Amino acid sequence: MASFKIEGGHLLRGEIRPQGAKNEALQVICATLLTSEAVTIHNIPNIRDVNNLIQLLKDIGVKVTKDGNSYTFQADALNMAFLQSDEFVEKCAQLRGSVMMIGPLLARMGKAVIAKPGGDKIGRRRLDTHFLGFQKLGAKFRQLADRNVYEIGAKQLKGTYMLLDEASVTGTANIIMAATMAAGTTTIYNAACEPYIQQLCHMLCQMGAKISGIGSNLLTIEGVKVLHGADHKLLPDMIEVGSFIGMAAMCGDGVRIKDCSLKDLGIIPDAFRRLGVKVEVDGDDLFIPRQKHYVVDSFIDGTIMTLADAPWPGLTPDLLSVLIVVATQGRGSVLFHQKMFESRLFFVDRLIDMGAQIILCDPHRAVVVGHDRQRQLHGSRMSSPDIRAGIALLIAAMSANGTSLISNIEQIDRGYEDIEHRLNALGAKIERI
């Protein structure tokens, strides 16, 4: 198990460019299973979760060629026997993104095997939305009790109307992919409409799918019999952009984040501005000047600022961990309300050990009382519990007085490409040991 040794207190300055979007990559890579023709995807990040998914596609017979950060996938000879094997089930259980293979395989091959997927340990992450959608399209489930897995199949999926029980991003993506080749028309209401879902829909339309309502929560999909190849480029990763804003606020001396695709960031920059962080727009770049002090806003009626996650276009839950760290050095108090995952705030114990003033009210709410830079956090030994808490702890360690050690950084590697070298180029002192 690898660790990061971080010498805190070094200012960051210069330019950094966000990687391709992790969450979009997992969706569109799975979508390549819908056709036997070649699909090329550009700007794919070199991160653990994406690499594991690509390897899983290779294992089931997908031909994969690489040219820099561009990959071409051709699923013209799938190994259906491997899809039924214990080895395949075991690999799926280690990667949550593998669940999005079910929709494409069901649509094109008529069946798929479902194992309990892995991923972050951040509380319950139910898959009901996926499976209720598949059932409405006509799929049937059969439990294979001896292997603790399910087999799902349908001779022909049939379009229908459905109202999703929640606006699940991966659930919406999975159902969209299944519906592209269903007979008739599928209408999905309460669909997730994140930029990554929009990107998936645009790529599928390039492949010959017929999807209307893109960008809204009401999608209409006319099924087609066959899909073909396409050429697609991933958006910059909005979570990485937000992480860099947080780093620049805490320990920056003028940091420019290049080519952010500002129109796809939603309210992320404004969430940091509510903490008092200066975020300047320059074309498609963001510039974060040095923040000697930043003052947390209050609401118009004078009540304490509250930041809560919500489905798009609300604030993504993946950035609450970073915002909490940034709030520790603001002037003022903030209530953070993490509504979607009940175990995601437990990492604040590590921040409290570093000297942060945080009250964990319950599994969903925490109050942060900012230090206004009057007291620095101090170095500590800690472990990364998940991707986003891991990057938040890294930011805290970079701003702290003294040396910190973060173990289990494989969690950070799942979502951030070559992060220590990219940050060291800005002036950080991070060593992988």
Side-chain angles (χ1 to χ4, degrees), residues 119-374:
D120 287 327
K121 308 306 180 193
I122 53 177
R124 291 174 296 165
R125 304 175 74 185
R126 62 188 184 87
L127 299 173
D128 300 57
T129 304
H130 303 242
F131 303 143
L132 290 170
F134 296 148
Q135 285 180 320
K136 285 183 178 294
L137 292 171
K140 304 289 185 185
F141 289 87
R142 182 169 67 95
Q143 185 175 15
L144 307 178
D146 57 326
R147 299 168 61 200
N148 195 28
V149 298
Y150 285 85
E151 188 174 76
I152 180 171
K155 289 183 179 179
Q156 173 64 66
L157 297 177
K158 295 181 180 179
T160 187
Y161 169 86
M162 65 181 79
L163 173 62
L164 301 188
D165 63 330
E166 65 173 354
S168 162
V169 176
T170 55
T172 299
N174 228 344
I175 295 166
I176 290 170
M177 290 187 281
T180 56
M181 299 176 73
T185 299
T186 301
T187 303
I188 308 173
Y189 195 25
N190 195 31
C193 52
E194 271 79 353
Y196 304 146
I197 290 286
Q198 298 174 40
Q199 285 283 97
L200 171 66
C201 289
H202 290 313
M203 189 182 99
L204 291 171
C205 287
Q206 267 198 69
M207 295 168 67
K210 296 179 179 180
I211 306 174
S212 58
I214 298 171
S216 76
N217 69 348
L218 180 61
L219 295 174
T220 302
I221 304 165
E222 295 179 44
V224 297
K225 291 185 177 180
V226 66
L227 295 173
H228 51 74
D231 191 274
H232 178 78
K233 184 178 180 180
L234 300 182
L235 288 175
D237 194 308
M238 69 168 77
I239 312 303
E240 194 170 68
V241 172
S243 302
F244 293 155
I245 296 173
M247 290 176 191
M250 288 286 280
C251 46
D253 188 24
V255 175
R256 178 176 293 272
I257 309 169
K258 297 287 293 179
D259 300 328
C260 296
S261 191
L262 293 177
K263 65 181 180 63
D264 296 303
L265 292 181
I267 65 172
I268 289 173
D270 284 337
F272 285 95
R273 291 185 181 112
R274 285 191 160 191
L275 297 182
V277 176
K278 294 182 179 66
V279 181
E280 299 173 3
V281 174
D282 183 8
D284 210 27
D285 298 351
L286 291 177
F287 180 73
I288 319 300
R290 186 168 181 178
Q291 319 276 324
K292 291 187 178 179
H293 295 277
Y294 44 96
V295 180
V296 177
D297 282 348
S298 58
F299 287 117
I300 292 173
D301 63 359
T303 53
I304 184 173
M305 174 56 57
T306 299
L307 290 177
D309 59 337
W312 183 269
L315 179 62
T316 171
D318 284 348
L319 276 177
L320 279 191
S321 302
V322 172
L323 287 160
I324 286 171
V325 170
V326 174
T328 65
Q329 291 301 326
R331 182 190 303 164
S333 300
V334 193
L335 170 63
F336 289 93
H337 193 169
Q338 167 63 270
K339 298 177 180 178
M340 298 173 71
F341 305 105
E342 71 266 21
S343 303
R344 209 165 199 172
L345 293 184
F346 291 153
F347 88 101
V348 302
D349 286 349
R350 284 81 158 181
L351 299 179
I352 294 169
D353 289 342
M354 297 177 77
Q357 293 185 309
I358 303 175
I359 302 167
L360 184 60
C361 307
D362 55 45
H364 292 278
R365 295 176 301 163
V367 175
V368 179
V369 180
H371 292 170
D372 192 22
R373 298 201 188 275
Q374 298 303 304

